[in-house]
Amino acid sequence: ITAVYQGKNGFNLNFGGRLNVHEKYGNHTVYNINPSYLIATSKIQINLMGSASTAYITPSLYQLYSSYGNLDLNPEESTTYELGYHLKMFNQKLSLNQTYFYREETNKIGFFTNFTTWESYYYNQDGKQLFRGIENELSYFVADNLKLKVNHTFTHLEAKHSYLIPKIKWNAFVDYQINSKSNIAA
């Protein structure tokens, strides 16, 4: 079930829930709630937003039954909170997003390889994995059909397998709109 409220004063709310019914893993409920508030003037537009959500991901058939499979895997579970804003200015040519995030994961499914015997298999990581950080994105329309974008993510990990996620990550993009039906991005 999902419901959306769009207020005339700039307040919006999206919330939903889902019941997962699984023969092996039983019933499990997940939810999401996403409030936001839009402030717009003739010069700027700022959208303040937040979210709280849960996830429940059962192992895939490949993770269970492939040659690397593990029939004892448990579903992954997570809870995520986000708080941020999206600012547009200069006739919406310049856009800045910043989002703080916090996520807790349990039963994260990992992949193990013994480099001596080359035995490999899926397994559930022990304990709770904690991730928190901030994402920043800046985009600018150089022309009506040419946009430049750069983003940066800083992630602080309190996780056993933190080497799999970079602490600092940068990306840059160029997006060129050829016509109304085609664009090129790199």
Side-chain angles (χ1 to χ4, degrees):
I1 295 173
T2 299
V4 177
Y5 169 78
Q6 293 181 319
K8 293 180 181 178
N9 64 351
F11 178 74
N12 298 298
L13 180 63
N14 179 324
F15 60 93
R18 182 179 71 221
L19 172 63
N20 295 295
V21 178
H22 197 282
E23 184 178 288
K24 180 177 179 180
Y25 301 113
N27 299 345
H28 196 85
T29 304
V30 295
Y31 69 87
N32 70 67
I33 182 166
N34 305 292
S36 66
Y37 186 74
L38 178 64
I39 303 167
T41 70
S42 60
K43 304 234 182 235
I44 67 164
Q45 179 178 324
I46 186 165
N47 192 9
L48 306 171
M49 57 197 144
S51 72
S53 62
T54 58
Y56 180 79
I57 305 167
T58 58
S60 70
L61 293 175
Y62 189 82
Q63 291 169 328
L64 291 169
Y65 297 107
S66 72
S67 57
Y68 307 111
N70 179 352
L71 294 175
D72 294 326
L73 287 175
N74 291 312
E76 297 178 334
E77 295 185 56
S78 68
T79 302
T80 302
Y81 302 99
E82 295 180 334
L83 187 62
Y85 68 90
H86 184 183
L87 173 67
K88 291 182 180 181
M89 52 191 166
F90 305 119
N91 295 323
Q92 298 194 12
K93 287 186 177 224
L94 182 67
S95 175
L96 174 65
N97 298 323
Q98 286 192 312
T99 304
Y100 170 79
F101 60 90
Y102 176 86
R103 183 172 67 245
E104 295 179 2
E105 295 179 350
T106 55
N107 292 328
K108 179 80 174 160
I109 296 175
F111 188 77
F112 173 78
T113 299
N114 179 324
F115 292 108
T116 304
T117 64
W118 295 105
E119 176 188 20
S120 300
Y121 54 88
Y122 288 98
Y123 70 101
N124 287 109
Q125 296 176 6
D126 292 332
K128 189 181 291 186
Q129 315 288 314
L130 300 176
F131 306 85
R132 67 178 184 265
I134 190 162
E135 296 176 336
N136 305 289
E137 181 179 281
L138 179 68
S139 63
Y140 182 69
F141 278 95
V142 178
D144 288 342
N145 60 345
L146 179 63
K147 179 168 66 171
L148 306 175
K149 183 167 43 171
V150 63
N151 66 30
H152 165 265
T153 303
F154 170 79
T155 305
H156 175 74
L157 303 155
E158 294 176 24
K160 184 176 180 181
H161 302 279
S162 60
Y163 60 88
L164 298 174
I165 297 175
K167 187 173 189 174
I168 297 174
K169 181 178 176 183
W170 287 92
N171 293 299
F173 304 92
V174 176
D175 192 339
Y176 180 71
Q177 187 78 38
I178 297 169
N179 56 42
S180 63
K181 296 181 181 180
S182 303
N183 73 314
I184 297 173

